[in-house]
Amino acid sequence: MRRDRGPKPKWNTKRVPAKSIIHVNRDLIKHNANLLKQDKNRTDLDPVIAVKHRQQNMYGHEIAINGPCRITYRPDAPKCFGATVWIETLSSVDIIRDNAV
């Protein structure tokens, strides 16, 4: 007769790290270019680099990837937001939101 030894432990499960996806929004680049044609001294340009991490969408003018990353080009299978080129990383990403050049 086989005996039950209780439930399986849950403390030993490995969590898959969340992947960050980084891409550049071409529509915002065009919008910023049109604003700069009207006034060369504008400083309130929209950030064009998007970082998608779990359920968050963050934007910035400059980012720093703190570790290895992979750049992917798939024109036949774009992401759900339309990107055909993007960067994937499991490392942390620092977003700089100011307009500093």
Side-chain angles (χ1 to χ4, degrees), residues 2-97:
R2 190 168 186 182
R3 305 236 172 174
D4 187 19
R5 294 181 179 236
K8 298 281 184 191
K10 295 183 180 181
W11 49 266
N12 199 17
T13 58
K14 292 184 180 181
R15 297 177 75 188
V16 177
K19 184 184 340 179
S20 295
I21 298 174
I22 304 159
H23 84 285
V24 179
N25 192 326
R26 292 188 313 178
D27 295 332
L28 287 176
I29 290 176
K30 289 180 187 178
H31 176 72
N32 287 344
N34 289 336
L35 290 176
L36 286 174
K37 283 182 184 177
Q38 296 170 3
D39 182 13
K40 295 282 185 189
N41 297 325
R42 286 188 79 112
T43 58
D44 59 340
L45 300 176
D46 295 329
V48 297
I49 302 172
V51 178
K52 298 181 183 304
H53 182 74
R54 293 189 178 157
Q55 300 297 325
Q56 295 178 328
N57 293 335
M58 300 166 284
Y59 291 87
H61 292 281
E62 184 178 343
I63 63 166
I65 301 171
N66 301 318
C69 63
R70 176 180 17 193
I71 301 173
T72 306
Y73 172 59
R74 289 195 186 151
D76 55 334
K79 288 287 190 187
C80 61
F81 46 89
T84 56
V85 178
W86 61 90
I87 301 170
E88 296 176 348
T89 183
L90 296 174
S91 305
S92 64
V93 178
D94 296 331
I95 300 172
I96 301 168
R97 294 176 186 260

